Structures are given as structure tokens and as C-alpha cells.
């Protein structure tokens, strides 16, 4: 696995893991949005995208039906089945992006070493238009709260796509 700051060569892969609490609302939606962005930029061959939860209550489940409905209306199909983050994910992924501060704390406690913490970042740091420090948990909210999640994810995924494309040595169509 290469260091986070080094661009990678032609044919190389870059891997991104999105993390929330249950892995049925925010992080599978982030995975779905970023998968579409990556596919639209012609980068699907080069980028591994996945998501996970810090909790284990929903293992094996599809994303929450409200999240899937709102995402589908915006053009994103969510097919992920919930799984729990594991220590080995630190070796497997270049970027581990958490949705809120509680996720960030919980995942940082799982890091096998201080060096691995470099991979762990807050998703919202990639936002450029919407000023949110966290992606708010919509689980007990309304459909509007689920829509807001997609708004924030689209904004951040645009910034993330730029970074990933740069890491891949400028690959991608940069269509966003
Ligand atoms: P997520 O949302 O972390 O965005 O998947 C939640 C899903 C389930 C629960 C809480 C948050 N829950 O308490 O079961």
C-alpha cells in the first residue's frame, strides 16, 4: 500500500472505505454516490469503494429503505450489504472516511498503529459548498433529512474525486 500523499501510476488502484454507525444509511449512500462519480469519470477500474459500520446491529442488511428510495430518486442504486469495520481494513484501504465525530473516535481506537491513523479522515473535509462538520445521522429523521445526507455526500464526493484522480496521476475525465 502506498503512502497517502504519493500519486499512483497508470493501472494502479486507490481504495476508499466510508464508515458510519450502522452502515445502513450514510456510509452505503456515500459508497453509492462515489461509485457513480467514479464510473462517470471512467475510473471504476482503478478505484475500490466500500463501506462499513462501527456497530454490528444490521449485519447483512441492505441500506435502510428510506435511504435507498431517496438515493434512487437522485440516480444512485444502493446494493451494499452492511458489514462491521475490522482492523484489517486499515491495511486494505488508502482512505477511511468517517461520517461523524463519534465514528471518527471509534475507528481511531481500532487503528493498529499511529501510522495507520493517516488514512483516517473526516468525510466532510472534502466538502466545498455545504458547510457541515459532520454528515448528520438521519435514522430517526424525516425524508428531508435523508435528502440532506445525499446533498452533503455529493458535495464531498466531488472533492474526493478530485483528490483520487490526482493520486491516480490525473486519470479520469474530470466531468464533475
Ligand atoms: P447510519 O445510521 O450510521 O448512517 O447507518 C444509523 C443506522 C442505524 C442506527 C443508527 C444510525 N441504529 O441505531 O440502529
Amino acid at each position: 500500500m502506498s503512502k497517502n500523499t504519493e500519486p499512483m501510476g497508470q493501472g494502479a488502484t486507490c481504495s476508499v472505505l466510508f464508515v458510519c454507525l450502522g452502515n445502513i444509511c450514510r456510509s452505503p449512500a456515500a459508497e453509492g454516490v462515489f461509485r457513480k462519480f467514479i464510473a462517470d469519470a471512467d475510473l471504476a477500474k482503478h478505484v475500490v469503494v466500500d463501506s462499513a459500520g462501527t456497530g454490528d446491529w444490521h449485519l447483512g442488511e441492505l441500506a435502510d429503505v428510506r435511504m435507498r428510495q431517496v438515493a434512487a430518486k437522485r440516480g444512485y442504486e444502493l446494493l451494499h450489504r452492511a458489514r462491521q469495520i475490522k482492523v484489517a481494513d486499515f491495511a486494505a484501504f488508502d482512505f477511511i472516511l468517517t461520517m461523524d465525530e463519534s465514528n471518527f473516535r471509534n475507528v481511531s481506537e481500532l487503528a493498529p498503529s499511529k501510522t495507520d491513523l493517516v488514512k483516517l479522515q473526516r468525510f466532510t473535509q472534502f466538502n466545498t459548498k455545504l458547510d457541515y462538520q459532520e454528515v448528520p445521522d438521519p435514522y430517526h429523521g424525516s425524508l428531508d433529512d435523508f435528502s440532506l445526507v445525499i446533498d452533503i455526500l455529493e458535495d464531498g464526493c466531488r472533492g474526493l474525486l478530485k483528490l483520487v484522480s490526482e493520486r491516480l496521476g490525473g486519470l479520469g475525465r474530470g466531468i464533475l
Side-chain angles (χ1 to χ4, degrees), residues 19-28 52-55 57-58 61 64 66-67 99-100 103 135-140 146 149:
V19 182
C20 61
L21 174 61
N23 195 210
I24 55 167
C25 298
R26 293 164 292 174
S27 63
T54 57
W57 311 284
H58 299 284
E61 293 177 20
D64 185 286
R66 297 162 295 173
M67 191 78 259
M99 298 290 132
D100 65 29
N103 311 147
V135 183
D137 182 350
Y139 190 63
H140 296 291
F146 282 84
V149 166

Side-chain angles (χ1 to χ4, degrees), residues 18 30 33 37 97-100 121-136 147-163:
F18 298 101
V33 169
F37 282 19
L97 304 179
T98 51
M99 298 290 132
D100 65 29
Q121 297 177 64
R122 294 164 177 85
F123 174 83
T124 51
Q125 76 170 74
F126 296 103
N127 281 50
T128 58
K129 294 194 175 113
L130 301 180
D131 188 17
Y132 285 84
Q133 305 308 306
E134 302 185 311
V135 183
S147 268
L148 175 65
V149 166
I150 299 285
D151 292 339
I152 298 169
L153 295 178
E154 285 180 334
D155 186 19
C157 281
R158 258 180 227 114
L160 180 61
L161 178 65
K162 195 163 171 278
L163 175 68

Side-chain angles (χ1 to χ4, degrees), residues 85-119:
I85 187 168
K86 49 187 190 286
V87 174
D89 287 321
F90 274 94
F93 289 91
D94 298 308
F95 294 98
I96 300 179
L97 304 179
T98 51
M99 298 290 132
D100 65 29
E101 284 307 306
S102 160
N103 311 147
F104 187 88
R105 263 195 316 280
N106 289 329
V107 178
S108 63
E109 283 164 12
L110 210 63
S113 74
K114 280 195 174 160
T115 326
D116 287 295
L117 282 174
V118 175
K119 298 178 172 186

